[in-house]
Amino acid sequence: MLAILLGSALAYGQEAKPSGPPAEPSTPEAIKQFNEDKVAELEKQIVGKEEQPAEAVFKNIKILTGVPAGRLLKIMQMGYSRSLGTSCVHCHVPGQWEKDDKVPKQIARDMSKMAHTINLELLRNIDGLKDRDPIVNCTTCHRGQLKPALNLDAEGQKK
């Protein structure tokens, strides 16, 4: 009994150490800072390789092949994270970026293919749009939010 009480007292006085992956930041400011920090870390790791194809520098690149590695980081930061209003942690395991452990990573890949199909096969075949070179991307629907706008209220705000 004394051992249980002492063990409880010792455990109570100790600080809990975080385990597992970092929690996803939730405020826009925290997301921006987190993403900037992670991109800066990765930029240091690829110094001298920024112009090499992403798939030659990073592991498990399945879309955006041929894109320079340095540009890929900006696409991830601006094209995906900012467009979806989320941090790198939403799709990736920091430090193990190549892992496919998170479902949103595959969803992003699939939606990227969807946008590619819309842009190259569908929009180009709409006669009235041919002179405009229209495109869709993540921002078209997501508008900085993880869940895309499905409806608008009477004032034109998304629901």
Side-chain angles (χ1 to χ4, degrees), residues 21-22 40-41 45 47 58 66 68 77 79 83 88 97 112 115 119 125 159:
E41 288 173 20
Q45 291 175 20
V47 168
F58 300 110
Q77 185 176 22
S83 294
C88 312
W97 305 100
S112 180
N119 290 330
N125 292 317
K159 292 182 179 180

Side-chain angles (χ1 to χ4, degrees), residues 7-15:
S8 296
L10 289 173
Y12 182 78
Q14 294 178 350
E15 290 184 32

